[in-house]
């Protein structure tokens, strides 16, 4: 029997105010069994028109090309990632912030163990993702 891993307690992801210690959140991602796959993620904030996802990636982890209906921002908290979009390669280092327009195809690779804060904003509260067989959607 396979037992799904669940976090001990799921805090509310949508309320009038949410506060996070990102260092502790990254440490928790590293402590979970899913980290053994090379990547782990947790949705921190989930409103109809906005998501904030914290991702931890081991060096060499890749997220294949995909698109999102909403505009996204990628903020690198630690490590080094390369993101390919708009026929360009963006090398992101800690403190870097990159924004992409909706439906912009992109992929990324962790060049070092990294922590990334992904924000997705959907127009009009529509949070559907599109896949187009280009890899996983980021919802």
């Amino acid at each position: 029997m396979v037992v799904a891993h669940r976090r001990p307690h799921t805090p509310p992801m949508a309320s009038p105010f949410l506060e996070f210690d990102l260092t502790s959140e990254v440490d928790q991602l590293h402590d979970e069994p899913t980290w053994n796959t090379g990547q782990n993620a947790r949705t921190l904030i989930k409103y109809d028109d906005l998501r904030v996802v914290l991702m931890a990636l081991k060096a060499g982890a890749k997220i294949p090309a995909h698109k999102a209906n909403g505009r996204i921002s990628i903020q690198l908290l630690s490590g080094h990632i390369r993101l390919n979009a708009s026929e360009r390669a963006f090398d992101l280092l800690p403190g870097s912030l990159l924004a992409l327009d909706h439906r912009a195809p992109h992929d990324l690779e962790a060049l070092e163990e990294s922590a990334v804060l992904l924000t997705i904003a959907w127009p009009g509260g529509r949070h559907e993702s599109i896949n187009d067989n280009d890899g996983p959607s980021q919802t």
Side-chain angles (χ1 to χ4, degrees), residues 55-78:
M55 298 186 304
L57 304 163
K58 288 187 179 180
K62 295 180 182 182
I63 298 177
H66 59 280
K67 303 174 187 179
N69 272 348
R71 290 184 172 93
I72 66 170
S73 72
I74 300 105
Q75 180 180 3
L76 193 66
L77 303 175
S78 65

Side-chain angles (χ1 to χ4, degrees), residues 48 67-70 103 120 122-123 125-130 137 139:
D48 288 341
K67 303 174 187 179
N69 272 348
R103 297 186 181 165
I120 310 165
W122 287 282
R126 291 185 1 243
H127 62 272
E128 310 89 20
S129 286
I130 57 177
S137 61
T139 55

Side-chain angles (χ1 to χ4, degrees), residues 76-99:
L76 193 66
L77 303 175
S78 65
H80 183 186
I81 65 170
R82 179 166 295 131
L83 186 137
N84 298 298
S86 301
E87 299 179 16
R88 276 189 63 189
F90 298 91
D91 277 307
L92 303 179
L93 297 169
S96 295
L97 176 67
L98 176 67

Side-chain angles (χ1 to χ4, degrees), residues 19-85:
E19 183 178 26
F20 300 93
D21 176 341
L22 295 177
T23 301
S24 294
E25 295 289 342
V26 170
D27 289 345
Q28 181 179 344
L29 290 176
H30 289 167
D31 289 342
E32 294 178 359
T34 308
W35 179 239
N36 294 329
T37 67
Q39 60 186 30
N40 198 4
R42 177 172 177 234
T43 300
L44 300 175
I45 300 168
K46 186 175 184 179
Y47 295 104
D48 288 341
D49 59 351
L50 177 75
R51 295 283 190 286
V52 177
V53 179
L54 179 63
M55 298 186 304
L57 304 163
K58 288 187 179 180
K62 295 180 182 182
I63 298 177
H66 59 280
K67 303 174 187 179
N69 272 348
R71 290 184 172 93
I72 66 170
S73 72
I74 300 105
Q75 180 180 3
L76 193 66
L77 303 175
S78 65
H80 183 186
I81 65 170
R82 179 166 295 131
L83 186 137
N84 298 298

